[in-house]
Amino acid sequence: MDKQITPEQLREAVLQLFRDAGYTVPELLPYIDGLNQENDRLKQELKRLRLAAARGPASSDSMNSRLKDALRE
């Protein structure tokens, strides 16, 4: 799926499938809503962690060994 589908479009597609099939699965729509909320939460957390990683200081593990030696002296 190259094209992004919105939660509203997904909900409408599922409702249309329910109408076409003549029966519904009541727990499906709340499950989809829960997945959408979890996805939004994870996107926000990822954004926050990326920002924190970009702002964070360089760790000593990433320093060159010559630089470490110079700092020790």
Side-chain angles (χ1 to χ4, degrees), residues 5 8 20-21 25 28 30 33-34 39-40 42 44 51 53 55-56 60 62 65 67 70 73:
I5 187 167
E8 293 79 20
D20 292 347
V25 181
L28 185 59
D33 292 338
N39 188 33
D40 290 341
L42 290 172
Q44 289 297 322
L51 185 60
R55 289 184 180 168
S60 63
S62 65
S65 62
L67 178 59
E73 292 180 10

Side-chain angles (χ1 to χ4, degrees), residues 46-60:
L46 179 61
K47 184 178 178 180
R48 181 184 58 81
L49 291 172
R50 283 184 176 161
L51 185 60
R55 289 184 180 168
S59 67
S60 63

Side-chain angles (χ1 to χ4, degrees), residues 4-52:
Q4 290 287 346
I5 187 167
T6 66
E8 293 79 20
Q9 291 171 326
L10 181 60
R11 177 179 277 282
E12 185 56 39
V14 170
L15 289 173
Q16 183 62 46
L17 285 172
F18 286 164
R19 287 190 289 271
D20 292 347
Y23 68 95
T24 65
V25 181
E27 62 273 3
L28 185 59
L29 290 176
Y31 181 73
I32 291 172
D33 292 338
L35 289 176
N36 188 46
Q37 290 173 353
E38 178 71 4
N39 188 33
D40 290 341
R41 185 188 68 78
L42 290 172
K43 284 180 183 178
Q44 289 297 322
E45 185 176 347
L46 179 61
K47 184 178 178 180
R48 181 184 58 81
L49 291 172
R50 283 184 176 161
L51 185 60

